[in-house]
Amino acid sequence: MSAYGGGYNGYQAIKQLEKKERKYRLSVDIKTGEAEWEKLQIEDENFIFDTATPIFRVTSSMGKMMIAPYHSRFEFEKYLIDVMDETGPYDCVVELGCGYGRNLINMFYNGGDTNLKYYGGEFTQSGVDIATKLAAATPNMKAEFFHFNHLSPNLDIVKNKNYERVFVFTSHSIEQVNQIHDDWFKVVASIAPYVRCVHLEPFGFQSKILGEVSEKHKAFIQQNKWNENFTQVLQNAVNNGDIVVDGTMLEIGFSDDVFNPGSLCIWHSNGA
């Protein structure tokens, strides 16, 4: 069964993928764009009957280890909807590094504005293709997916539409780009007269070491050669007058990887 086959609509297909991700990890070869499923090795033997998933898992928050129910997650899509409702209205929503479009489709079905245009920028062609098919199987969803590279950000596909107010977000996609471009925030902020952006990215250790997990997180990022300049480029954009940061919250918790906790950052374009 393909991710978007079996007679499912887009939302049902997304939920089938999420179910599989509880036991497998989708790995994508950046060079070839090929994807494959890898079986997760779960050491916890405290299983719920024969589901092969534990009752609890180890995660982290604010620099410290914590125990949480295995199936609990930070519902980022619903958080985004709340932010949009309080700061909108917007003409469109854009996710950069959207994978197969899960966040956007979840937003559409969980209270997001169904009249908006949804854009998803994704590096891999396979991600663009699957997201396009999933959105096409989502009744009444206006969506468009395109190639996007954090190393050379180009958002002309959105900018050329002359929108007035654009909502942008990223979720653990900048993390795998060791050094984002110096103009990353300026490029994103310039796609419309008003741009608001929300990041859920593992940049916390770049701002402040909160505890043991922060130290191990830093070592994990450096070992994998993942992003180490998000905070620096963000601050440079503030200093240059490109953006205004509304707030940050470090290592909020409930990340799938205990030593790769996500942190929140919200900003808007300057002068808007």
Side-chain angles (χ1 to χ4, degrees):
M1 179 187 68
S2 66
Y4 42 85
Y8 298 130
N9 63 34
Y11 186 69
Q12 291 170 319
I14 288 292
K15 294 308 171 184
Q16 289 292 324
L17 287 166
E18 289 180 355
K19 179 175 71 173
K20 189 162 187 175
E21 286 180 337
R22 291 199 288 272
K23 300 176 184 178
Y24 296 84
R25 176 178 286 111
L26 182 61
S27 176
V28 178
D29 188 315
I30 297 299
K31 294 182 180 179
T32 65
E34 295 296 321
E36 62 179 13
W37 292 99
E38 299 177 354
K39 178 75 173 179
L40 293 176
Q41 300 300 314
I42 300 176
E43 298 178 0
D44 192 332
E45 296 180 354
N46 191 14
F47 295 113
I48 304 175
F49 300 108
D50 58 353
T51 62
T53 55
I55 299 174
F56 300 105
R57 64 189 177 96
V58 179
T59 182
S60 62
S61 179
M62 307 296 181
K64 299 179 180 179
M65 307 280 278
M66 63 179 288
I67 303 295
Y70 180 77
H71 294 86
S72 63
R73 294 292 186 274
F74 173 54
E75 295 185 300
F76 185 49
E77 303 97 328
K78 294 180 181 178
Y79 173 79
L80 293 172
I81 291 168
D82 290 344
V83 174
M84 292 182 69
D85 286 348
E86 290 299 315
T87 62
Y90 293 95
D91 302 315
C92 69
V93 56
V94 183
E95 180 178 11
L96 301 178
C98 70
Y100 54 79
R102 175 175 64 181
N103 291 330
L104 292 170
I105 292 175
N106 277 337
M107 288 178 70
F108 182 81
Y109 273 105
N110 282 283
D113 191 336
T114 56
N115 294 315
L116 288 181
K117 181 70 174 284
Y118 289 75
Y119 289 93
E122 165 59 22
F123 180 77
T124 66
Q125 187 58 47
S126 59
V128 171
D129 292 342
I130 293 175
T132 299
K133 292 176 180 178
L134 287 171
T138 302
N140 302 316
M141 184 180 188
K142 299 183 288 290
E144 187 171 352
F145 297 89
F146 59 96
H147 173 75
F148 180 80
N149 186 350
H150 284 298
L151 292 173
S152 181
N154 185 317
L155 285 164
D156 287 348
I157 193 170
V158 179
K159 187 174 184 177
N160 290 340
K161 296 295 192 302
N162 296 316
Y163 294 119
E164 289 294 319
R165 295 173 59 86
V166 175
F167 187 87
V168 182
F169 70 94
T170 73
S171 177
H172 285 265
S173 64
I174 292 176
E175 69 174 20
Q176 296 187 34
V177 182
N178 182 255
Q179 301 286 318
I180 58 174
H181 196 275
D182 290 343
D183 286 342
W184 194 97
F185 293 96
K186 183 176 182 179
V187 169
V188 176
S190 66
I191 61 176
Y194 184 91
V195 176
R196 183 176 294 279
C197 187
V198 178
H199 301 283
L200 178 61
E201 299 287 346
F203 64 87
F205 73 94
Q206 299 177 25
S207 300
K208 186 177 181 180
I209 300 297
L210 299 179
E212 177 187 3
V213 171
S214 305
E215 293 283 7
K216 292 184 177 180
H217 180 208
K218 180 179 180 180
F220 171 83
I221 292 291
Q222 292 177 337
Q223 179 182 355
N224 286 280
K225 293 181 169 52
W226 286 3
N227 185 262
E228 295 186 64
N229 76 332
F230 177 93
T231 300
Q232 177 186 338
V233 177
L234 177 76
Q235 187 58 55
N236 289 343
V238 172
N239 294 341
N240 292 336
D242 299 323
I243 64 172
V244 176
V245 173
D246 300 296
T248 60
M249 180 168 287
L250 305 183
E251 300 184 18
I252 61 173
F254 290 95
S255 296
D256 290 329
D257 192 323
V258 62
F259 295 126
N260 194 34
S263 295
L264 280 172
C265 175
I266 305 178
W267 58 264
H268 65 271
S269 50
N270 197 7

